[in-house]
Amino acid sequence: MTDFRRLTGMFLAAIGLTLSAPQTFAQQPDRGDEPGLIADDGYQLEPEWQKQVVYFRTTEAPGTIIVSTAERHLYLVQPGGRAIRYGIGVGRDGFQWQGLVTITNKKEWPDWVPPPEMIQRQPYLPRFMAGGPGNPLGARAMYLGTTVYRIHGTNRPDTIGTKVSSGCFRLVNNDVADLYNRVPVGTKVVIRQKPEL
């Protein structure tokens, strides 16, 4: 009888932990946004996420950006069936999107003003943060259409290749500065959730 009582107690405790887990997780900070953290510029990306020129078949014109959230790569289409491929961090589950937009603005060391929806989900975030090395937007930002989303740098290079953002696409600072210098305002950006066949 004592064993039965002990097992019943453990079972009820496990149920209690399971029921309280969603609230606990909801209060955990988003590890993808750490205001004030200075990026480790010596961080070495895995080869899969490093910038490289690759063969790339597309009907899009050279100069077009194609974001593949499924692959966690951003492609800048080049002439001759090639593209510059960058490793990126993408939106976590429930925050991924697709569409066709253009780059409507570009900023170096941008200020960060988290949108109200983000503040509601993560009330611990600052309401404003000046641009600089500790800013989660990193060294550069390219604004996508009229959305709240951007292609930007990061102070968390370890998040490249992962699904952690609230819908933006992040690159390491060296890569976002490289991309920034290659594309003008008005650049076409195609965001795809599934790879093309």
Side-chain angles (χ1 to χ4, degrees):
M1 189 69 170
T2 308
D3 288 339
F4 177 74
R5 214 176 281 151
R6 189 178 315 136
L7 286 173
T8 304
M10 289 171 46
F11 178 72
L12 292 174
I15 288 174
L17 284 173
T18 303
L19 293 175
S20 66
Q23 184 176 4
T24 303
F25 285 128
Q27 294 172 356
Q28 293 295 320
D30 174 3
R31 303 312 295 170
D33 294 308
E34 290 197 30
L37 180 72
I38 304 299
D40 176 4
D41 290 331
Y43 184 85
Q44 186 67 34
L45 292 174
E46 295 290 326
E48 170 74 12
W49 312 121
Q50 293 176 13
K51 181 184 85 169
Q52 56 190 293
V53 176
V54 297
Y55 288 107
F56 189 72
R57 287 179 30 180
T58 183
T59 57
E60 298 293 345
T64 302
I65 291 173
I66 299 175
V67 175
S68 173
T69 56
E71 296 175 18
R72 295 186 292 279
H73 286 125
L74 180 150
Y75 298 89
L76 177 59
V77 179
Q78 302 292 293
R82 296 179 186 263
I84 301 172
R85 185 181 80 183
Y86 303 86
I88 59 173
V90 300
R92 58 190 180 271
D93 292 337
F95 290 85
Q96 295 177 9
W97 57 288
Q98 60 187 0
L100 175 62
V101 292
T102 59
I103 293 176
T104 51
N105 197 4
K106 294 170 52 177
K107 292 188 179 174
E108 296 186 21
W109 295 105
D111 295 337
W112 184 40
V113 181
E117 308 84 28
M118 195 173 190
I119 294 291
Q120 189 173 12
R121 289 189 309 271
Q122 301 163 263
Y124 59 87
L125 291 176
R127 294 343 185 224
F128 171 85
M129 187 171 188
N135 190 308
L137 294 184
R140 306 285 185 273
M142 289 155 273
Y143 296 75
L144 300 176
T146 58
T147 72
V148 296
Y149 304 117
R150 307 166 193 87
I151 296 168
H152 64 78
T154 183
N155 61 349
R156 290 286 314 277
D158 58 307
T159 62
I160 302 304
T162 66
K163 300 188 291 185
V164 295
S165 81
S166 294
C168 289
F169 308 107
R170 59 179 67 183
L171 294 81
V172 292
N173 284 331
N174 285 341
D175 286 356
V176 80
D178 179 79
L179 179 65
Y180 183 96
N181 290 333
R182 293 176 186 271
V183 297
V185 168
T187 295
K188 180 180 179 181
V189 181
V190 180
I191 295 104
R192 298 181 181 143
Q193 284 192 290
K194 295 181 180 173
E196 281 198 328
L197 298 176

